[in-house]
Amino acid sequence: MGPTARLVRRVALVIVSAAVVQVAVVSAFPVAGVRPPVLVLVAIGAGLALGPGVGAGAGFAAGLTFDLLLSTPLGLCAGVFAVTGQLVARFRPSGRSVPRRTAGSVPWWHVALIGAGATVAAYLAVLVAGLLLAQRPLPTDGLVLALLVMAGAHGLCTPVAVRILAWAGAGDRAPAAVVARGR
Amino acid sequence: VAVRQRPSGGERNWRPSGGERVGRRRYTLALLLLTAFTLLTLDVRGFAPLAAVRSAALAVSAPVGEVAAGAFRPLGDAWAGMSGGAELRRENEELRRRVEELDARVAHDAATETELARLRRAVDLPWAGGLGRVTAQVTSGPIADFDVTVELDKGSDAGIDVGMPVVVGAGLVGSVVQVSGGRTVVRLVSDRSSRVGVVTARVEGAPSAGERTGRPSAGERTTAEPALGLVEGRGERRGGVATGFDLTKPVPVGAVLVTAGTPGSRYPAGIPVGTVERVEVDDVASQQAADVRFAAPLDDLAFVTVLLHRPVS
């Protein structure tokens, strides 16, 4: 099996697992009534661990899966998550300027902050894109609470997601992998 | 955080320049976005093959949700009790207050029933009779915050189709948005994209908001006709907002809103949607808006009935 095929299979496995977690766990355990979109973590994790190209592709696939699970218009989350995966790679703690084969280290909370920020941005983008492209009205109540809960939950989960997606890309031609480590 | 490089054999032999890589990534992203936009456009326009894909996805994911819902329900209830303690106390106080109010109104129940029956006759609301019905069990609730849906354990094999209204004894629950052979997804009336045309079943002689606030608009006069409006969800299970009521029509607090059943509507006339809790007059738009408490207990749905109603265009 070539490295690309292995990457695709592993990312697909991660997406399916995240979908099962979304359907089976998140829906049963809302936090303050909020059910965070687990699948956006795939886009964020892929962008951070595997770079913008894989981040966009994984984000698109994760978003499409999410669209199929929900009744949102097909392509809405796919497009937003693809952009999320692409853009989040720009905010890697190491950035693009890190020389190849160089291992830098930053606190784990840096990755968490990126995950929280990307989640908030992606959620708002889904709402705005839904309004502009599918005439889905914006929420009037509880938006701030929902954003806070999602940012907190995904901030904590992003380092784990990065680890998982780094595993998915292990052995592949990843341009730069960011692996969060607690210190 | 450690930053690692993992060069492969392919990289050693050939490596695109930085500009080429960036260009390729942008090209890929543009292609993905174009695909997403195309899918979205086709889906919004009701492209049939995409509906079939959704149906297949539902058939695959529904059993997972059902099994998980069964397995996690006790834990989920415990979690809800822990995480929603303050909310439960507040709700409890609110319910106590409402019980007291309801006790005070028990004496008027018989008269209200009679009044409601008369009003139903007046606006011709035969929703309870004549239509085929399928009773189904709610197997799982919403899985994310992007939409408010529930899944049912019956589907197109039982005659259910997209667009059909879903009700419980208390009133409207929502409408069918996806269906497969044995599963149905229902978008609740509380969903932000839900819109239901309603009409007031008002108490005779009740003043309009303009009269109550002492600010009747020029030429305003109350009539005995029911007011037409539009109930929209806000993403909250308990209530929504109703807009578009004519200023000249009374919209009393406590009035029951029922589906208008206008031609082409997916809902037959007369299904209770909710109760008016608060009315505001929008002088600029020359209309009244109201906060609505939904009639159906959307937080606690176990069984629902799908009305086999197809809108007449």
Side-chain angles (χ1 to χ4, degrees):
Chain A
M1 189 193 317
T4 304
R6 183 167 52 227
L7 173 69
V8 169
R9 287 182 62 163
R10 287 184 177 182
V11 170
L13 178 65
V14 172
I15 290 172
V16 170
S17 304
V20 171
V21 169
Q22 182 81 52
V23 172
V25 181
V26 175
S27 63
F29 301 98
V31 181
V34 179
R35 297 173 177 84
V38 174
L39 280 152
V40 77
L41 281 174
V42 177
I44 296 169
L48 287 174
L50 304 173
V54 179
F60 181 84
L64 202 58
T65 306
F66 205 31
D67 284 328
L68 285 171
L69 292 176
L70 303 175
S71 62
T72 49
L74 214 57
L76 180 63
C77 293
V80 171
F81 288 9
V83 174
T84 303
Q86 171 100 0
L87 292 184
V88 80
R90 291 175 175 269
F91 295 93
R92 282 177 293 176
S94 53
R96 291 178 169 184
S97 59
V98 174
R100 302 181 80 79
R101 297 177 185 280
T102 299
S105 63
V106 291
W108 66 269
W109 53 263
H110 198 154
V111 176
L113 278 180
I114 294 170
T119 298
V120 169
Y123 186 74
L124 291 175
V126 167
L127 295 181
V128 173
L131 174 70
L132 296 178
L133 301 175
Q135 284 78 52
R136 290 173 62 84
L138 295 172
T140 53
D141 297 307
L143 179 60
V144 174
L145 175 66
L147 291 176
L148 285 175
V149 170
M150 288 180 197
H154 283 194
L156 293 174
C157 293
T158 299
V160 179
V162 169
R163 281 258 176 191
I164 294 171
L165 269 301
W167 162 81
D172 187 54
R173 190 161 57 90
V178 177
V179 180
R181 287 179 181 158
R183 289 196 302 179
Chain B
V1 177
V3 180
R4 297 173 183 164
Q5 289 300 317
R6 298 189 179 90
S8 68
E11 256 190 324
R12 283 191 293 273
N13 297 330
W14 175 82
R15 182 183 300 159
S17 69
E20 284 174 334
R21 282 201 302 272
V22 171
R24 198 168 55 199
R25 285 173 198 149
R26 285 180 181 165
Y27 175 76
T28 304
L29 182 63
L31 209 59
L32 291 174
L33 286 179
L34 186 64
T35 307
F37 188 73
T38 305
L39 285 172
L40 197 150
T41 306
L42 291 173
D43 196 28
V44 169
R45 291 175 181 273
F47 188 53
L50 289 185
V53 172
R54 276 190 179 281
S55 178
L58 176 62
V60 171
S61 67
V64 177
E66 188 176 346
V67 169
F72 287 117
R73 184 164 289 139
L75 282 175
D77 290 344
W79 172 262
M82 285 188 295
S83 63
E87 173 72 9
L88 285 176
R89 277 194 295 276
R90 192 190 62 74
E91 237 175 56
N92 200 16
E93 290 172 9
E94 170 71 10
L95 286 172
R96 284 179 193 276
R97 189 184 65 77
R98 288 190 61 79
V99 166
E100 289 172 8
E101 283 180 10
L102 290 171
D103 283 342
R105 289 164 62 179
V106 162
H108 301 289
D109 277 357
T112 304
E113 284 291 327
T114 307
E115 182 73 4
L116 184 59
R118 192 174 66 78
L119 287 168
R120 277 184 175 169
R121 282 198 301 275
V123 291
D124 187 24
L125 312 173
W127 76 279
L131 290 171
R133 305 169 192 180
V134 174
T135 300
Q137 187 174 5
V138 176
T139 55
S140 65
I143 63 169
D145 277 11
F146 290 129
D147 65 354
V148 184
T149 56
V150 295
E151 280 185 17
L152 311 183
D153 66 345
K154 291 181 181 171
S156 55
D157 293 345
I160 298 173
D161 202 356
V162 172
M164 289 179 169
V166 181
V167 300
V168 291
L172 185 66
V173 169
S175 63
V176 175
V177 290
Q178 289 179 46
V179 66
S180 67
R183 291 290 184 277
T184 294
V185 176
V186 178
R187 176 178 293 149
L188 303 186
V189 284
S190 57
D191 187 87
R192 288 180 290 108
S193 58
S194 165
R195 293 177 181 80
V196 183
V198 294
V199 61
T200 52
R202 75 179 184 86
V203 178
E204 195 76 31
S208 70
E211 288 174 327
R212 283 196 308 278
T213 58
R215 298 184 303 162
S217 301
E220 177 185 359
R221 64 184 179 80
T222 57
T223 72
E225 298 171 23
L228 284 166
L230 192 69
V231 169
E232 299 176 51
R234 293 188 296 199
E236 294 179 355
R237 294 296 185 95
R238 299 176 67 184
V241 60
T243 57
F245 293 113
D246 193 326
L247 277 179
T248 63
K249 308 285 176 59
V251 184
V253 171
V256 175
L257 299 178
V258 298
T259 51
T262 49
S265 167
R266 66 177 49 176
Y267 304 105
I271 304 175
V273 176
T275 309
V276 174
E277 287 198 315
R278 193 168 65 93
V279 182
E280 283 185 355
V281 175
D282 185 345
D283 287 329
V284 177
S286 295
Q287 65 171 15
Q288 301 175 76
D291 288 342
V292 177
R293 175 184 289 270
F294 291 126
L298 302 180
D299 272 332
D300 186 26
L301 294 171
F303 291 91
V304 297
T305 298
V306 181
L307 298 179
L308 305 183
H309 166 80
R310 295 175 192 279
V312 179
S313 58

